Amino acid sequence: MAEERTGTQERGTPVVGEAGLPDTDQKILVRARDLAIGYGRKVIQQSLDFEIRTGAIFAILGGSGCGKSTLLRTLIGMQPPLEGEVEIAGVESLPPPLDTPPPFGVSFQSGALFGSRTLLENVALPLEKWTDLDQRAVEAIALARLRLVGLGGYENYLPAEISGGMQKRAGIARALALEPRLLFLDEPSAGLDPVTSVELDELLKTLNRNLGVTVVLVTHELDSIFRIATRCIMLEKGARGIVALGDPRELRDASDDPRVRRFFNRLPSSA
Amino acid sequence: MSDTLRIENIELPDGGAELRLGGRLTLAAGAAAWDQLRNRCASTASEVRRIDLSALELVDGAGAAELLSLRARRSMAGRPLELVGASEETGQLLDLYGCPNDHTCLKEAPPSPTALEEVGKATVGLLENARDVLDEVGALVSATARAIRRPRSVNWREIPQLMERAGADGVPIIALINFLVGLIIALQAADQLKRYGANVFLADLVGLTMTRELAALMTAIIVAGRSGAAYAAELGTMRVNEEIDALRSLGLDAQRFLVMPRVIALAAVAPLLTLLGMVLGCLGGLVVAMTSLELTPAIYWGELQRAINLLDITEGLTKSVLFAITIVFISCQRGLGTRGGAAGVGRSTTSAVVAILFSLIVLDAIASTLFNSVRNG
Ligand SMILES: Nc1ncnc2c1ncn2[C@@H]1O[C@H](COP(=O)(O)OP(=O)(O)OP(=O)(O)O)[C@@H](O)[C@H]1O
Ligand SMILES: [Mg+2]
């Protein structure tokens, strides 16, 4: 279902979202080949081989500090791989180009809102830059995105005036601004209360089901993983490679790797 | 399958009208679709009561947002509008974006300051009377900036504010420092000049040093401490908070988006501040001339006019622009290069200021040498 939608992009005129991604008749949207990630000479993970299919909700799992954010940043081209390569829709992933709309939406672990702008202005910024819509339409869309993440009524607040969880949600609203077909989210539900976190899951599921959005997310929330992820990859600090890859439910029920069992059963590593 | 929005107009038996939408209502369909929808709503002879969505092939979140905001605006104006025939998927999307009541679909007016805040601001405003001087200039400049501001290059918008912060807010300290420097030079020279009966040449000495050299340099040093440090800290914090990455992920470039406006703002403001510095430096000299050299303002002023020519002022102003660009460039590069949390921001700020001061002196030496050879050659 979702996959049928993503191949429709034949317009020459502006703009965004759909036009941002090259034609994706390919079933594989993101591919990592023999990837090594890290900083300078410091290798954090290596030999990462996996692919993310169009229409998937793909979770990156693992303990704190194992390199999930680093992997995400490498996938979106913000950080060069130490080895190997990342392809998005068949094209090498480089820092997002400046002359075309960004091909995907990203929300960062810290929220990364622009501190001198109100929430509305934060979300409106990409729309102002990349669409020809007038101020009123831009505001209507930005406002709707804020409402979508439960921030209706906060549009005139500055990031410093709202809580961490709210900042995170505003960051997600901004990532959604341009109607991306591919979303990268770094711990979207960290810092959210259980109810809001379930709502966020529902939101992602709806975007995925109704608009064919492919979602790649880093998360620690077991409930959330089982609720929405169709596939997951598990990393471990110092393991230097994929610990497990597959459907999270199957991994939970069938894997006999102790590290996987530990993660899914919430056991401390000494157990 | 059509890529654009189609709108069909159907007269309802009870006198109203219905718009039947077909094709796609998406962000990618762009302003054309939005305008089309609004115009049709406004221009049909009979009141549009209903929008039928059943023939739409695709609605995305942006489309849903527009439909809902349209409905909200109409209902607030007392002319309710129904959205009917939504497919299951579109319906879910409308629910997702739905608003509890109509006014939450529309932007709230920014909070207006309370009376107490206003009083507080007015008081501070009175105390900081000096900055009114440049506020006029700032208003003028911000008007110009607004005129050249194109809808897409959002960063023009920041320039007036940056100019106010770097310019208007810095006026008192820059005026004071330059005045004192003029006074100090004059004090040091006064004794010597009196000994040779060359009292009147005080004007030459103070005037030339201030215009060619010190007004630009002292102003740049203050600007480096105020704006240079601020830019380094600001961009450094943005780097640490992943805001620079976020900018990049939205297809915006830190250089164009953050550095350019600062270059333009400072390069525009620095010569004005320097000009002010030149005037106040000479005034500082005048105080000494009157108190310890028995010169009248008229004599001092006449001698100044004889001594200073356009090239001297040009030298000062050229330097000031050069210094301004250097300050922005170094501070922004240090800021953007920040690594490692709050401590990193502190390090970048310190190193930016040190590097700027050093560069200013070196540049000043080079520029002075060049201008001297122009003058003599
Ligand atoms: N800028 C950096 N320079 C050098 N090393 C870094 C840098 N950022 C992170 N690291 C190292 O990379 C490793 C992985 O960091 P990363 O932020 O990817 O972890 P993570 O899995 O996202 O953790 P968390 O769940 O806490 O967010 C850490 O051990 C950290 O020390
Ligand atoms: Mg992380």
Side-chain angles (χ1 to χ4, degrees):
Chain A
M1 262 304 268
E3 285 168 17
E4 287 166 16
R5 286 267 174 68
T6 43
T8 53
Q9 175 248 341
E10 51 261 23
R11 179 175 305 111
T13 37
V15 178
V16 285
E18 297 167 80
L21 275 183
D23 209 339
T24 45
D25 274 341
Q26 295 118 313
K27 296 261 193 289
I28 291 169
L29 193 51
V30 182
R31 187 197 297 272
R33 275 206 207 90
D34 194 26
L35 193 64
I37 58 174
Y39 301 85
R41 281 211 207 108
K42 184 166 146 201
V43 179
I44 309 282
Q45 290 286 343
Q46 60 190 16
S47 321
L48 303 180
D49 261 296
F50 59 91
E51 43 205 40
I52 300 172
R53 293 176 159 261
T54 306
I57 297 185
F58 187 91
I60 300 172
L61 315 178
S64 184
C66 69
K68 302 181 297 297
S69 298
T70 311
L71 174 59
L72 202 75
R73 296 167 50 79
T74 312
L75 291 181
I76 61 177
M78 292 289 187
Q79 193 171 328
L82 300 184
E83 259 170 55
E85 57 179 2
V86 177
E87 280 180 4
I88 294 186
V91 191
E92 186 185 358
S93 179
L94 295 171
L98 296 171
D99 44 2
T100 55
F104 40 69
V106 185
S107 101
F108 292 85
Q109 189 165 359
S110 60
L113 299 174
F114 306 125
S116 58
R117 290 164 188 262
T118 64
L119 298 195
L120 187 80
E121 287 165 347
N122 262 281
V123 182
L125 185 64
L127 290 160
E128 283 165 3
K129 167 81 182 175
W130 294 116
T131 69
D132 53 0
L133 300 176
D134 60 20
Q135 192 61 28
R136 199 169 79 187
V138 165
E139 272 174 12
I141 297 174
L143 209 55
R145 307 281 194 223
L146 284 172
R147 258 196 338 267
L148 197 59
V149 296
L151 288 177
Y154 287 95
E155 61 266 24
N156 294 319
Y157 282 62
L158 289 171
E161 299 167 344
I162 59 175
S163 74
M166 289 161 88
Q167 290 180 14
K168 183 143 268 185
R169 284 183 279 151
I172 296 169
R174 189 178 62 191
L176 291 173
L178 291 174
E179 212 71 54
R181 285 320 185 77
L182 175 57
L183 259 183
F184 291 94
L185 309 172
D186 197 344
E187 300 198 19
S189 48
L192 300 189
D193 61 88
V195 176
T196 318
S197 157
V198 170
E199 281 169 5
L200 181 63
D201 285 345
E202 286 307 314
L203 167 64
L204 295 179
K205 228 165 153 173
T206 311
L207 291 175
N208 175 262
R209 180 160 23 88
N210 291 17
L211 296 172
V213 177
T214 307
V215 181
V216 181
L217 77 165
V218 172
T219 181
H220 290 298
E221 310 283 322
L222 282 179
D223 299 339
S224 164
I225 297 165
F226 295 129
R227 213 162 25 233
I228 60 171
T230 55
R231 249 180 115 65
C232 71
I233 179 175
M234 189 182 292
L235 306 175
E236 194 171 88
K237 195 166 186 175
R240 301 284 179 91
I242 297 176
V243 171
L245 179 68
D247 182 308
R249 278 157 294 256
E250 284 170 20
L251 286 179
R252 173 190 56 187
D253 300 336
S255 172
D256 31 75
D257 187 320
R259 294 170 298 184
V260 177
R261 300 197 70 83
R262 220 160 42 218
F263 185 87
F264 283 126
N265 295 311
R266 310 183 201 236
L267 297 174
S269 48
S270 56
Chain B
M1 162 156 140
S2 156
D3 271 344
T4 48
L5 181 68
R6 288 187 312 273
I7 303 183
E8 208 182 321
N9 205 352
I10 292 165
E11 295 293 324
L12 296 174
D14 60 357
E18 174 184 294
L19 296 183
R20 184 164 294 171
L21 307 189
R24 315 169 115 221
L25 184 59
T26 59
L27 190 56
W34 262 239
D35 290 343
Q36 204 187 346
L37 185 60
R38 281 185 207 157
N39 290 341
R40 286 295 281 271
C41 268
S43 70
T44 25
S46 32
E47 172 100 353
V48 175
R49 299 244 174 89
R50 262 205 319 245
I51 297 186
D52 183 352
L53 311 173
S54 57
L56 273 176
E57 284 154 24
L58 181 60
V59 182
D60 64 5
E66 176 62 11
L67 284 173
L68 289 167
S69 113
L70 192 64
R71 185 175 70 181
R73 271 199 305 278
R74 295 288 294 253
S75 115
M76 300 275 283
R79 294 146 62 205
L81 179 72
E82 246 186 303
L83 302 176
V84 297
S87 67
E88 192 191 340
E89 288 178 353
T90 307
Q92 283 171 347
L93 211 59
L94 286 173
D95 284 346
L96 202 60
Y97 275 90
C99 13
N101 44 51
D102 286 321
H103 75 266
T104 55
C105 268
L106 304 174
K107 182 176 181 274
E108 248 179 63
S112 50
T114 64
L116 199 64
E117 275 174 339
E118 299 264 38
V119 171
K121 272 198 189 131
T123 318
V124 174
L126 275 179
L127 292 176
E128 293 180 354
N129 219 339
R131 66 190 255 189
D132 290 350
V133 184
L134 264 205
D135 267 4
E136 296 288 298
V137 183
L140 192 75
V141 170
S142 88
T144 321
R146 215 169 287 139
I148 41 179
R149 163 178 143 205
R150 292 161 295 158
R152 284 191 181 226
S153 40
V154 192
N155 52 0
W156 284 107
R157 185 160 80 175
E158 266 200 297
I159 294 180
Q161 199 202 346
L162 288 167
M163 289 176 79
E164 189 188 327
R165 270 197 335 217
D169 298 358
V171 165
I173 179 76
I174 285 169
L176 181 65
I177 296 275
N178 278 289
F179 177 81
L180 290 178
V181 168
L183 190 107
I184 292 165
I185 299 173
L187 273 180
Q188 295 294 345
D191 259 359
Q192 307 295 323
L193 291 173
K194 216 179 337 189
R195 200 169 296 167
Y196 297 105
N199 295 14
V200 75
F201 289 112
L202 184 76
D204 299 54
L205 183 78
V206 174
L208 288 179
T209 344
M210 286 312 295
T211 47
R212 287 183 186 174
E213 194 66 50
L214 285 180
L217 192 61
M218 293 318 293
T219 305
I221 288 174
I222 306 291
V223 170
R226 282 172 42 86
S227 305
Y231 295 166
E234 208 175 322
L235 271 60
T237 309
M238 289 185 75
R239 162 64 76 199
V240 172
N241 287 346
E242 297 182 294
E243 286 175 53
I244 304 292
D245 292 335
L247 263 187
R248 199 74 174 81
S249 81
L250 298 173
L252 295 161
D253 176 37
Q255 297 292 340
R256 257 185 272 171
F257 195 77
L258 297 171
V259 182
M260 272 313 294
R262 284 170 173 73
V263 171
I264 295 172
L266 223 53
V269 156
L272 296 177
L273 292 175
T274 301
L275 214 50
L276 179 77
M278 292 175 183
V279 173
L280 275 140
C282 292
L283 285 179
L286 176 62
V287 170
V288 176
M290 288 168 66
T291 51
S292 52
L293 294 179
E294 290 114 33
L295 292 174
T296 66
I299 296 179
Y300 184 81
W301 173 241
E303 184 60 26
L304 264 186
Q305 275 181 312
R306 238 190 321 279
I308 300 172
N309 60 35
L310 202 59
L311 184 65
D312 299 320
I313 296 179
T314 313
E315 174 170 353
L317 296 185
T318 310
K319 282 178 179 172
S320 75
V321 174
L322 204 65
F323 292 165
I325 295 173
T326 310
I327 291 170
V328 180
F329 189 76
I330 296 179
S331 59
C332 290
Q333 297 325 312
R334 294 293 157 110
L336 290 174
T338 301
R339 292 275 169 277
V345 175
R347 274 197 301 275
S348 308
T349 310
T350 311
S351 90
V353 173
V354 173
I356 289 170
L357 294 182
F358 178 74
S359 316
L360 288 183
I361 305 289
V362 173
L363 267 178
D364 192 22
I366 296 172
S368 296
T369 316
L370 284 178
F371 270 94
N372 257 347
S373 63
V374 170
R375 214 172 269 121
N376 302 331

